Amino acid sequence: MDSENTIFFKVEKEKKSNSKQILRQVYEALVEKGYNPINQIVGYILSGDPTYITSYKDSRSLIRQLERDELLEELVKEYIGVNDEK
């Protein structure tokens, strides 16, 4: 592979909706357990430490299915309203 070429990765629509569904499930499990879900999810994204996420309802395993950088990318796109579907 030529090191001068840029490689682009595109997140498929199905993966986006799966990410959103997983994030929602993790959020709800954190709420049910009495945690501040925003703080816990942000802590996980920044540190990569899965102990920020409860194991309740298999949430820790679910969120580890997602790549943190892809999750962060999708969150930023959603926040600023960028839709890159073509």
Side-chain angles (χ1 to χ4, degrees):
M1 182 166 89
D2 187 357
S3 64
E4 293 182 28
N5 291 332
T6 302
I7 299 173
F8 293 96
F9 296 96
K10 185 172 180 174
V11 179
E12 298 171 18
K13 186 174 182 175
E14 182 178 315
K15 191 169 185 176
K16 287 181 193 178
S17 59
N18 188 42
S19 299
K20 190 172 186 173
Q21 181 182 14
I22 288 173
L23 193 56
R24 173 60 68 183
Q25 287 177 277
V26 169
Y27 178 92
E28 290 172 1
L30 288 164
V31 168
E32 287 179 33
K33 291 302 280 182
Y35 294 107
N36 179 321
I38 301 302
N39 288 347
Q40 297 303 113
I41 292 169
V42 168
Y44 169 71
I45 291 171
L46 292 176
S47 71
D49 184 355
T51 61
Y52 276 97
I53 306 300
T54 181
S55 59
Y56 179 66
K57 292 189 173 180
D58 211 23
S59 297
R60 193 173 293 159
S61 295
L62 285 172
I63 202 156
R64 291 181 82 190
Q65 293 175 12
L66 307 174
E67 296 292 331
R68 290 182 303 129
D69 59 334
E70 290 176 3
L71 181 57
L72 187 56
E73 181 181 330
E74 291 307 314
L75 290 170
V76 169
K77 285 179 183 178
E78 185 72 25
Y79 184 79
I80 62 174
V82 173
N83 184 350
D84 64 349
E85 292 181 37
K86 293 178 182 171

